[in-house]
């Protein structure tokens, strides 16, 4: 009787493990030095990149062939400290692992998500750029290659705006049992 119970429990665990989803999380904020996470955009500095390197941050994902879906999230707090209305363009860009400049539109890089925000003098706003990674999208296909670059750009048209990057992360859901070939 013990053997039958053990066999049934083993079969149940094997069936459950085939449906297990694993999370792969990358806190991109940890790759950006603290002094680069906040600052001021003004007439002298009209744009800033996160990370500061135009090639962005390289991410390599082992077992990414088992990618189910995921999300990318960027959050920044903005405050117009000038005397004029300001427009800010925010974008998250992705490119292949060998791309050396995510912001030139060459080598396969593209804007995965973008948003424009208008702030009046003295106005403060927290902006979140969410990106869902779903099968059949260019983002999913690029990430599924296993080696990609990611970066963000914040550009200003206006007077002065203070910014603080508060979140930057990639969360991927992988079903590792998809790696086992079917006979």
């Amino acid at each position: 009787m013990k053997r039958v119970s053990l066999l049934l429990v083993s079969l149940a665990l094997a069936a459950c493990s085939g449906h297990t989803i694993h999370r792969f999380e990358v806190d991109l904020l940890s790759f950006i030095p603290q002094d680069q996470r906040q600052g001021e955009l003004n007439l002298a500095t009209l744009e800033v990149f996160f990370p500061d390197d135009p090639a962005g941050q390289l991410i390599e994902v082992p077992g990414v062939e088992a990618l189910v879906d995921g999300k990318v999230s960027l959050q920044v707090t903005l405050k117009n400290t000038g005397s004029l209305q300001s427009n800010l363009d925010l974008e998250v860009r992705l490119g292949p692992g060998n791309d050396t400049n995510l912001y030139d539109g060459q080598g396969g890089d593209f804007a995965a998500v973008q948003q424009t925000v208008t702030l009046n003098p003295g106005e403060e706003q927290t902006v979140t750029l969410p990106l869902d990674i779903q099968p059949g999208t260019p983002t999913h296909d690029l990430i599924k290659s296993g080696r990609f670059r990611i970066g963000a750009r914040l550009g200003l048209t206006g007077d002065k705006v203070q910014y603080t990057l508060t979140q930057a992360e990639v969360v991927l859901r992988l079903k590792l049992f998809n790696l086992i070939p079917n006979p």
Side-chain angles (χ1 to χ4, degrees):
M1 187 62 151
K2 288 183 181 179
R3 289 183 186 178
V4 172
S5 296
L6 184 60
L7 178 63
L8 289 174
V9 169
S10 298
L11 289 174
L13 286 174
C16 291
S17 64
H19 296 286
T20 301
I21 301 287
H22 299 273
R23 290 174 53 102
F24 179 86
E25 297 181 30
V26 178
D27 180 9
L28 296 172
L29 210 53
S30 66
F31 292 98
I32 301 170
Q34 184 68 34
D35 63 338
Q36 292 177 8
R37 295 180 197 173
Q38 59 189 9
E40 182 177 81
L41 292 170
N42 52 42
L43 296 175
T45 306
L46 293 175
E47 67 182 2
V48 64
F49 302 104
F50 306 106
D52 198 19
D53 184 355
Q57 179 62 47
L58 178 65
I59 298 177
E60 295 180 284
V61 184
V64 78
E65 302 85 18
L67 179 63
V68 175
D69 59 20
K71 70 176 182 169
V72 174
S73 184
L74 175 88
Q75 187 175 70
V76 63
T77 301
L78 304 166
K79 183 174 184 181
N80 186 342
T81 57
S83 58
L84 302 172
Q85 185 180 63
S86 295
N87 294 318
L88 294 122
D89 296 316
L90 296 96
E91 68 179 343
V92 173
R93 297 193 59 90
L94 297 169
N98 61 353
D99 196 349
T100 58
N101 187 344
L102 286 180
Y103 307 96
D104 64 359
Q106 298 178 14
D109 59 72
F110 59 93
V113 62
Q114 54 192 27
Q115 183 176 346
T116 300
V117 176
T118 301
L119 295 175
N120 291 315
E123 187 177 0
E124 184 173 342
Q125 185 174 349
T126 298
V127 179
T128 302
L129 290 178
L131 171 65
D132 286 327
I133 303 165
Q134 296 297 321
T137 62
T139 301
H140 186 273
D141 296 342
L142 177 66
I143 291 173
K144 203 161 183 171
S145 72
R147 192 169 186 267
F148 66 97
R149 293 190 172 274
I150 187 168
R153 183 185 71 82
L154 176 61
L156 168 72
T157 305
D159 192 10
K160 288 192 288 188
V161 172
Q162 290 179 342
Y163 65 88
T164 303
L165 183 64
T166 56
Q167 179 186 21
E169 67 180 3
V170 175
V171 177
L172 303 176
R173 293 179 352 118
L174 307 167
K175 192 171 183 182
L176 297 180
F177 280 87
N178 285 349
L179 296 174
I180 299 171
N182 289 330

